[in-house]
Amino acid sequence: MENKLNIAIYPGSFDPITNGHLDIISRSSKLFDKVIIGISKSSNSKDYLFSDEERLQLASNSTKHIDNVEPIVFDGLLVDFALKNNINVIIRGLRAFSDFESEFQMSLMNRKLNSEITTIFMMPHEKYTHISSSIVKEVFSLEGDISDYVSDPVLKALNLKYEK
Ligand code: ADP
């Protein structure tokens, strides 16, 4: 049998990383030799609340306990990045039916661009199916409690960002 490492990439904005993302990362880390958290580079600094470096640091600080996970910032076409780095799997999270249509389109397009790379969808624990980085930021900015939905480093970073 061919002895090839299975390296997966979990791409996204991670602005910031939430416990929903971390649930998918933890599940994936048990299935693949290595999981790369692919943080999409900001094309315009106003796009995101957190900078590339901050999103990278938060992903790294939130996954310290998992050995085979490595966050990186990437730019350009995902399948090209995957090909150059021997990545053969793309992981995406599915929260609800509403995620399905755009994910379906994207995965078929990626397969057309590179048929060697397979997209796998994973569902988080049901306690995270209703959360997104956007809703976490919105509730936090209105002074709601989001401590069940983000790691301690992310909570601290949000406090600093909003100067609470
Ligand atoms: P994008 O901008 O690509 O949607 P996100 O950072 O929002 O980036 O999400 C990255 C991936 O994580 C996507 O596949 C998204 O569906 C998934 N995801 C986001 N939030 C959750 C969650 N609460 N549970 C499971 N998967 C999630």
Side-chain angles (χ1 to χ4, degrees):
M1 230 168 77
E2 196 187 353
N3 192 9
K4 188 176 160 209
L5 283 184
N6 279 311
I7 307 179
I9 187 163
Y10 180 38
S13 322
F14 303 103
D15 185 36
I17 196 160
T18 68
N19 289 349
H21 294 130
L22 292 171
D23 179 291
I24 300 288
I25 292 163
S26 153
R27 285 171 204 281
S28 317
S29 71
K30 294 177 187 135
L31 295 174
F32 301 101
D33 296 305
K34 186 168 176 182
V35 177
I36 293 171
I37 307 174
I39 300 168
S40 42
K41 193 176 172 62
S42 161
S43 45
N44 165 350
S45 55
K46 285 189 196 128
D47 289 354
Y48 298 122
L49 176 63
F50 291 101
S51 68
D52 296 347
E53 187 51 41
E54 288 170 326
R55 288 178 291 132
L56 180 69
Q57 207 57 57
L58 291 174
S60 169
N61 291 343
S62 306
T63 55
K64 279 206 166 96
H65 56 293
I66 321 178
D67 284 347
N68 59 340
V69 170
E70 184 190 350
I72 52 98
V73 174
F74 83 99
D75 203 4
L77 204 56
L78 177 62
V79 289
D80 287 349
F81 179 83
L83 201 63
K84 280 192 206 117
N85 291 280
N86 298 318
I87 294 166
N88 46 349
V89 174
I90 296 171
I91 295 162
R92 294 290 288 175
L94 274 188
R95 283 160 291 190
F97 196 67
S98 51
D99 277 341
F100 180 77
E101 191 162 355
S102 59
E103 293 293 343
F104 178 77
Q105 267 189 335
M106 183 60 78
S107 74
L108 290 183
M109 179 54 87
N110 281 334
R111 189 156 74 189
K112 168 86 175 109
L113 294 169
N114 186 331
S115 59
E116 296 297 306
I117 299 170
T118 300
T119 302
I120 290 182
F121 294 98
M122 298 181 85
M123 283 171 287
H125 190 285
E126 57 273 20
K127 66 187 175 197
Y128 300 130
T129 49
H130 61 292
I131 66 160
S132 63
S133 300
S134 313
I135 201 159
V136 160
K137 285 182 282 192
E138 192 180 334
V139 171
F140 186 85
S141 71
L142 299 170
E143 312 204 345
D145 179 8
I146 48 131
S147 55
D148 284 346
Y149 300 124
V150 294
S151 64
D152 285 345
V154 171
L155 197 55
K156 282 195 191 105
L158 282 165
N159 272 306
L160 282 175
K161 210 34 111 182
Y162 290 95
E163 289 185 24
K164 284 188 183 159

